[in-house]
Amino acid sequence: MATATTEKTTSARAVAMKKQDAASAPLPKSSRRRNPMERRPSRLLTAGMVLLLLYSVLPLFWLVVNSTKTQGALFSSFGLWFSGPFALFDNIQQVFTYGDGVFARWLANTFLYVVVGAGGATFLATLAGYGLAKFDFPGKKGAFAVVIAAIAVPGSALAVPTFLLFSQLGLTNTPWSVMIPSLVTPFGLFLMWSYARESIPDELVEAARMDGAGEFRTFFTISLRLLAPGIVSVLLLEIVGTWNNYFLPLIMLSDPQWYPLTVGLNQWSEQANTAGGEAVFNLVITGSLITIVPIIVAFLFLQRFWQSGLAAGSVKQ
Amino acid sequence: MTTMSSTAIRTRTLRVRRPRRRWIGWAFFAPFLLAFVFVTVAPLAYTLYLSLFQERMLGGTAFVGLGNYIEQLTNPVFWDALGRVSIYLVIFVPVMLLLSLAAALAIDSARLHFPRLFRLAIFLPYAVPGVVAALLWGYMYGTQFGLVGNIGDLLGVTLPDPLSSNLVLLSIGNIMVWLTMGYTMLVFYSALRVVPAELYEAAELDGAGAFRVIRAIKLPAIRPALAVTLVFSVIGAFQLFNEPNILRTLAPNVITSHFTPNMYAYNLSFAGQQYNASAAVAIAMGVITMVVAYVIQRVASRKA
């Protein structure tokens, strides 16, 4: 087992390192074209990729088209084109007013969980990754090995155990039950550790020490700046993970007032199946669109970071 | 004592660049470790503890040793769920990896029109929450206003219901492929980006064709990334929960409460209040996942 862990670590690390190389040296568009004759764009290849692109984008297109329809038009029209009155703004307004405006509450909850969970997770991982990279201390190797081994434990495997413990402690059905588990990201720690090793020269830390700066002062005034690209990568990963989190809040929360968007949306969807429940398909569809817009906008704006940063591994919660 | 010795080292070996052994490192690591123990180690330990007990009608809680495990591992329901995710894993993990690999190779080949557009568009589904993806595809699969029915009408035929018992696993697999393909592609792509250009130049001098370059240079470059993504995909498959649980609303008779092991564990604790049995299932699945991931990892690294 020990071998497996180290080997896995090495390969994960290789990926992480490569990502950093790719990040630090963005290649010019044509740098890899050695022989223009041989490297002519191929129509056949492009055509094949268009199919893959359509597969990726079609459901999103369906979502956009159908959030402009009224519930009636949803049932009576062809799914891939606009039909009936243009009801997007009406739908949006309904999403925010339905059920005493609970959707806005879910949106605010999601923001809260993301800010505290993803922000806190990134901070803890940065602090610890730096500590592990730049200091030698008793017990470091053993503790580090345990944390690294936990990278392979997916969040969903921990959800039921965490629920069992938290309910024993009376923490369930509070926002803490969602935020506290989000604070820990072994993979983020691993990324920050390898990033800190690469990007912060020991001489610099040593020089600060010679000048009489405390370790924390050195960390906050000097190291943090050098770590910024790594921090952004981890933060992005954590934001996506927390924004999209479903299983944990589903288990932990019974009061809809504390739901994040994901759990709330599914509750609206389930409503159609319950006795006396009102079918609100148009609200689920428009609500879904509203849920993914912020995260897609974030990706488009931060392209520079995620294209190198998110490739750092393959953890998906 | 430690402070003294480290001060001594400090004055003596100022030029040595190795970090010195001091307790201060703990100040950085401790907050993380504290949280880690609270949300990872403690829940696992507590679940292990729970799995060894049983609530009895009379006499309260009793220690039963491996009783819960024996009960669950001889329960056909557990194997039914495990068998289903195994089928799913064997079919969809390779499909997803192959599609991602093909996309990464195509984008890296410099023989594609608009490579950046493809990279961005294929990556986009990664941003979509699993819940939204399941709702979205679920509606598209659905018979009421679904796209599948629409297309059937357009063609004048009745297409099979994607949420029928024959096809539901395929439909779930499709959602997973859709969600994870772009991310995996990006991992492969960044592994390809750091292949030194000299290797390609040498291959060209040797007169190697495109497929030879892929086989001799590009695939070996991707191998570590492939091993990691494979292991994580397998772990993800064994933990399948969100998508089937959400589609269950649309196909309650097809997707059972024990469709996947994770759903089984969840429903044992939430619908049945059988916390001890649920704990045993969670631990058993953890061990099975670890063993399978370990074997895959060994096989993948032996070939390297």
Side-chain angles (χ1 to χ4, degrees):
Chain A
M1 215 63 222
T3 350
T5 315
T6 26
E7 275 164 12
K8 196 179 298 167
T9 311
T10 332
S11 44
R13 198 175 130 210
V15 179
M17 301 287 205
K18 276 167 189 167
K19 150 244 155 188
Q20 279 157 19
D21 292 347
S24 56
L27 297 165
K29 220 174 176 178
S30 58
S31 71
R32 294 268 294 275
R33 295 190 187 174
R34 284 124 6 231
N35 183 347
M37 292 299 286
E38 204 189 309
R39 297 248 143 190
R40 219 169 315 159
S42 150
R43 281 200 189 152
L44 192 68
L45 195 64
T46 305
M49 287 293 283
V50 165
L51 289 180
L52 220 49
L53 179 139
L54 285 178
Y55 171 61
S56 299
V57 175
L58 204 71
L60 298 174
F61 178 72
W62 183 92
L63 184 65
V64 172
V65 166
N66 287 282
S67 54
T68 67
K69 293 178 185 172
T70 60
Q71 184 146 264
L74 270 181
F75 287 93
S76 61
S77 66
F78 181 63
L80 283 179
W81 202 244
F82 302 90
S83 175
F86 184 82
L88 177 62
F89 298 111
D90 192 41
N91 281 337
I92 292 175
Q93 198 206 338
Q94 274 192 58
V95 163
F96 281 101
T97 50
Y98 185 79
D100 293 328
V102 73
F103 189 86
R105 173 76 197 229
W106 295 338
L107 188 64
N109 290 343
T110 306
F111 270 113
L112 173 73
Y113 301 155
V114 166
V115 168
V116 177
T122 308
F123 178 71
L124 289 184
T126 306
L127 204 61
Y130 175 80
L132 289 165
K134 293 292 143 193
F135 299 99
D136 195 14
F137 48 88
K140 167 171 135 169
K141 277 198 178 133
F144 191 36
V146 172
V147 173
I148 291 301
I151 288 178
V153 182
S156 57
L158 275 171
V160 171
T162 310
F163 166 79
L164 295 175
L165 181 70
F166 276 31
S167 75
Q168 197 64 33
L169 299 173
L171 281 170
T172 45
N173 206 21
T174 66
W176 296 110
S177 63
V178 177
M179 291 187 291
I180 293 174
S182 306
L183 287 177
V184 173
T185 160
F187 185 64
L189 168 96
F190 166 76
L191 286 183
M192 286 317 300
W193 168 77
S194 56
Y195 198 86
R197 271 168 35 126
E198 298 289 306
S199 65
I200 299 180
D202 285 322
E203 292 87 345
L204 196 69
V205 181
E206 200 56 48
R209 260 179 217 142
M210 296 295 287
D211 290 344
E215 299 297 350
F216 280 96
R217 191 166 158 210
T218 309
F219 173 74
F220 281 108
T221 55
I222 299 169
S223 310
L224 217 48
R225 255 170 249 184
L226 295 171
L227 289 172
I231 294 173
V232 173
S233 302
V234 174
L235 190 62
L236 259 174
L237 268 173
E238 289 311 304
I239 288 175
V240 176
T242 323
W243 188 273
N244 296 355
N245 201 357
Y246 169 73
F247 193 21
L248 188 76
L250 172 76
I251 283 185
M252 292 290 183
L253 306 171
S254 49
D255 181 358
Q257 285 296 307
W258 286 116
Y259 283 175
L261 288 169
T262 49
V263 180
L265 276 176
N266 191 45
Q267 197 202 31
W268 274 1
S269 167
E270 279 176 345
Q271 213 171 281
N273 289 37
T274 51
E278 189 188 359
V280 284
F281 295 117
N282 60 328
L283 300 191
V284 178
I285 289 172
T286 310
S288 296
L289 183 68
I290 297 171
T291 301
I292 65 173
V293 162
I295 206 106
I296 287 187
V297 167
F299 270 117
L300 292 178
F301 273 102
L302 296 170
Q303 261 195 74
R304 214 157 67 75
F305 294 104
W306 65 255
Q307 297 221 346
S308 51
L310 291 192
S314 38
V315 171
K316 190 188 159 281
Q317 298 236 330
Chain B
M1 162 100 181
T2 322
T3 337
M4 277 188 49
S5 60
S6 62
T7 330
I9 292 167
R10 185 177 173 181
T11 43
R12 244 187 297 133
T13 57
L14 264 182
R15 305 216 154 226
V16 178
R17 284 196 206 109
R18 307 192 92 257
R20 291 144 316 144
R21 220 175 150 73
R22 302 191 312 160
W23 288 92
I24 180 78
W26 273 109
F28 287 88
F29 185 41
F32 178 94
L33 194 66
L34 212 66
F36 177 77
V37 167
F38 187 57
V39 304
T40 305
V41 179
L44 287 178
Y46 182 63
T47 305
L48 194 62
Y49 165 82
L50 274 183
S51 72
L52 301 175
F53 289 84
Q54 231 169 43
E55 304 242 351
R56 294 269 162 82
M57 295 281 256
L58 294 169
T61 313
F63 179 79
V64 292
L66 295 178
N68 288 319
Y69 291 94
I70 293 166
E71 199 172 297
Q72 290 309 321
L73 292 177
T74 52
N75 188 343
V77 167
F78 175 78
W79 292 105
D80 183 38
L82 187 61
R84 199 171 291 110
V85 289
S86 304
I87 295 170
Y88 163 89
L89 184 156
V90 169
I91 298 174
F92 292 103
V93 170
V95 167
M96 189 277 288
L97 290 175
L98 282 176
L99 283 177
S100 315
L101 188 62
L105 286 171
I107 292 172
D108 184 64
S109 71
R111 303 205 55 193
L112 198 63
H113 293 278
F114 321 113
R116 290 168 69 89
L117 171 74
F118 285 107
R119 202 167 73 201
L120 187 65
I122 294 173
F123 174 77
L124 223 47
Y126 171 72
V128 176
V131 172
V132 172
L135 288 171
L136 194 58
W137 279 99
Y139 286 166
M140 285 172 33
Y141 291 148
T143 43
Q144 289 183 297
F145 51 91
L147 196 58
V148 176
N150 281 172
I151 292 172
D153 290 347
L154 207 66
L155 301 173
V157 293
T158 312
L159 292 174
D161 177 7
L163 294 175
S164 64
S165 60
N166 293 330
L167 293 179
V168 74
L169 202 59
L170 198 79
S171 304
I172 293 171
N174 172 53
I175 300 177
M176 293 308 290
V177 171
W178 183 78
L179 263 177
T180 53
M181 187 179 69
Y183 183 59
T184 316
M185 171 202 73
L186 202 66
V187 174
F188 292 159
Y189 176 74
S190 36
L192 285 173
R193 290 312 279 175
V194 293
V195 174
E198 299 89 71
L199 279 183
Y200 293 126
E201 279 155 24
E204 214 162 285
L205 284 176
D206 291 346
F211 285 100
R212 183 101 178 86
V213 170
I214 287 177
R215 212 156 52 93
I217 300 176
K218 296 196 174 189
L219 289 185
I222 287 179
R223 193 183 283 276
L226 194 62
V228 175
T229 44
L230 181 64
V231 168
F232 280 117
S233 304
V234 169
I235 294 170
F238 274 134
Q239 295 300 327
L240 197 61
F241 178 85
N242 293 4
E243 289 76 13
N245 198 50
I246 284 162
L247 289 181
R248 209 179 153 201
T249 314
L250 302 167
N253 300 321
V254 176
I255 299 178
T256 56
S257 64
H258 59 270
F259 194 77
T260 73
N262 220 354
M263 283 176 75
Y264 180 47
Y266 168 80
N267 283 307
L268 275 177
S269 33
F270 291 88
Q273 308 287 316
Q274 299 178 36
Y275 295 120
N276 305 97
S278 172
V281 171
I283 297 284
M285 270 318 288
V287 172
I288 292 172
T289 310
M290 249 166 56
V291 170
V292 173
Y294 174 72
V295 170
I296 289 174
Q297 209 270 331
R298 281 307 292 259
V299 172
S301 58
R302 195 177 304 152
K303 279 186 194 157

